[in-house]
Amino acid sequence: MGDLRDWLLSNKFEQYADAFEANDIDLDILPELSEPDLERLGVSLGNRRRLLKAIAGRSSGAAPPKPSDPGASGDAERRQVTVLFADMVGSTALSGTVDPELLGNLIRRYQDVTAGAIGRYGGFVAKFMGDGVLAYFGFPRAFEDAAERAVRAAIGIMAEVGGIERPDGTRVQARIGIATGVVVVGEIIGTGTAQERTIVGETPNLAARLQALAAPDTILISAPTQNLLGGLFDLELTGEHELKGFPRPVPAWRVRGETLVESRFAASRTGDNLPLVGRAHEMGLMLDRWRLARLGEGQIVTVIGEAGIGKSRSIEALQEAFAGEPHARVHLQCSSYHSDSAFYPVIQHISRAAGFATADSPGVRIEKLGVLFARRAESDVAAIPLLAELLSISAEPAAPLSLTPAQRKATTIALLVDEIVRLGETDPVLLVLEDAHWIDATTLELMTRLTDSIGRARLLAVVTARPDFAPPWQARPHSTLLALGRLGRSECAQLVAGVAASHGLSAETVAAIVAKTDGVPLFVEELTKSVMESASGDSAAVPATLKDSLMARLDRLGEAREVAQIASVIGRQFVFSLLDAVIPHGGTDIEAALAKLVEAGIVFPDGRGSERSFSFKHALTRDAAYESLLFSRRRELHERIARALEERFSALTTSEPDLLAHHFGEAGLAGPACDYRMRAGDLAVSRSAYKEAIAHFSAGLGMADALPKPEERMRRQLDFLLKLGPALMVMRGMQSAEVEDAYRRAEEIGAAVGDSVATTRPSGACGSTPISGARRLWRATVPASWWRSHNDPATAISCSKPTTADGRRLFSEVMLRRLWRIAVSATRPTI
Ligand SMILES: Nc1ncnc2c1ncn2[C@@H]1O[C@H](COP(=O)(O)OP(=O)(O)OP(=O)(O)O)[C@@H](O)[C@H]1O
Ligand SMILES: [Mg+2]
């Protein structure tokens, strides 16, 4: 902490040292502080900017990339980013008519307002280009709701720039384009104000084109952005547009405004809910607490579970369960970007309940408040002014309040608690507090006070939160903690079936989705949808709808993130010693990083084997970490892993050659990849695992394609084809087209490389006649010399055995079981 104080002192910001210290901020996390963070710490606007500059200067000076560091390739990575492009309308025309100094002032104000709105929603201003602003959401810091943040920032920009007056007396207008997509983000280049983070991909171009297309005061968004927003905003499709640089017409949506819904869950839904799967126990427990609450034994249930596990869905099911019963509802929704605004969920609820409209004057709002709180207003004259103040209604209070801020807060909390408890006098009350992990301190205080006051109230409070929230009311006798776990495999399959409905996914695809989604319903839904949308029915890639939230979890890891990325290249499971061998020493504290990954719930120690090993908790988190790596970096890491396996885990080269084949293959080293594929195929054949053998030989055949030298390439292909043939015969039968195809290709390649084994045409009886698959097989798998002396297969089989390993295997594995019977009949007509 002393270091931070010194740094603040040397930069003349010592006045903030106490605030930083009180919030456990140290030098290590300094670069991660955003403008809103600094605002929360009480840093003024000017100083925020100065501090951010000083922090950026410190980061670029203090942490030069280490040459041996795997991150030295510039920290560039692939990630999903939402790009916002905002431009001021008519500024070029203005430059001809207005004094440059005035124009400069105007542009500065415009930039300030725009950067302010972007900063409030966690965006990153990458560049000011005159009156144009380029900003990223989701980079350098990922947010699960990056697209939503970008649109909110855009709405904020529109509202605020409208307040700026131009020298000609008119109001400033803006156009905004927003697009989302996967881009390659690079390291910071330049210094000081010229500092810039490179970002490559079509997304920024699209955002710029949409911006140019937008009418004044309009926000246009791209299809992927629209897809991520669900029903959060009122959007209007403006049609498909021919845009320069884009081969096909691009659809664009205009943002008309926010949709007013009471919960984040309802807002993000576009279709109907699927029937609730499983959760019978949890529903039973909540319904039991509701029964007690109705009898006047107030209850609070805190539903804890990771993102997407089904907390909100369970509460929805609870509400559906007693929809027919008379009861009152209070819905408090916490917001990720209002964790510091006191009473935010309460203010939102009251505004909705009172029916405030945007155009309502303060007077009208006070009237509406009076109606909502009529009973209290009769007995408590201070109530309405207090509530009006809470809701920032700036009318003259009926009776001036002479309270200190602390008294005002205490009185407001007491009033609200009392109001909620009194609601239950008429009908039982269901109070839902959603997403308590984002709760502001004052609402938390209110909830704690409420919990202490509901012992005899007809009220059930249900609070949802992710696991990092510890409810202060946990120890109260009428409090229940309900941990939502993962769904079972069959429940997941049911969910897949529900989402895919008439789409009819194959059993294999369903199994692949279930395996990859680890019982998290959100993952199941999104992966199923993305498989249905992908033309190939492939479940390999992380769906766009999950990219942001998975990346946000990884971004919170700081330095440990890189260890997660390297581990992801090893696979979902990884042994410590291999990770240790792959990560260069001196740079990274692997133990500390792993401890952080475990603490963050990204990986968990896997106690199954004798080696110390770990597993990624979610396959999709592993995939997200892996997909964030540049292709070049993935190749580099795969090679490092393959070499480490060869050097330090040599037993694996014989017991798991497929593992080495995988890493060498992904590293782009076709030679060793082919060697190990061949070994893996042979191993499978030796275990009579022909299905696997076919997979290995086919993969090897594909891999051989990548060999640069034609001669070597063809010889490898021939090797694989000659192994593939017998294995295919066992699995598919002698006369199958695949067998025929394998030998036909073997013959062609053999002819091209002059391989006598495969190409010598039999002399005598069948020398010039067309030959069947069985004959090709025969010729291809025995040595030419042997073939020449025994040109009749029937005789050959009865009198002699071939001498090569392939020939012998053919005899023992195939001939004895099937060839005799089939080959003779199949080849008879041509002999
Ligand atoms: N048991 C279930 N049966 C059917 N669908 C479910 C079930 N649980 C969750 N879902 C669906 O999975 C998705 C994620 O669920 P939900 O939004 O309730 O998660 P959550 O735990 O509230 O996540 P967050 O922490 O992000 O709020 C939703 O679309 C929901 O409808
Ligand atoms: Mg939820």
Side-chain angles (χ1 to χ4, degrees), residues 264-266 268 305-313 315 333 434-435 437-438 464-466:
R264 185 171 65 91
F265 178 74
S268 59
E306 59 188 304
I309 200 75
K311 301 180 291 293
S312 305
R313 181 68 187 86
I315 290 186
Q333 171 67 63
E434 272 266 47
D435 300 321
H437 43 276
W438 292 322
T464 66
R466 296 193 185 153

Side-chain angles (χ1 to χ4, degrees), residues 68 209 245 292 367 628 639 665 689 765:
S68 62
R209 298 266 176 247
L292 289 175
E367 250 172 53
S628 71
E639 179 176 356

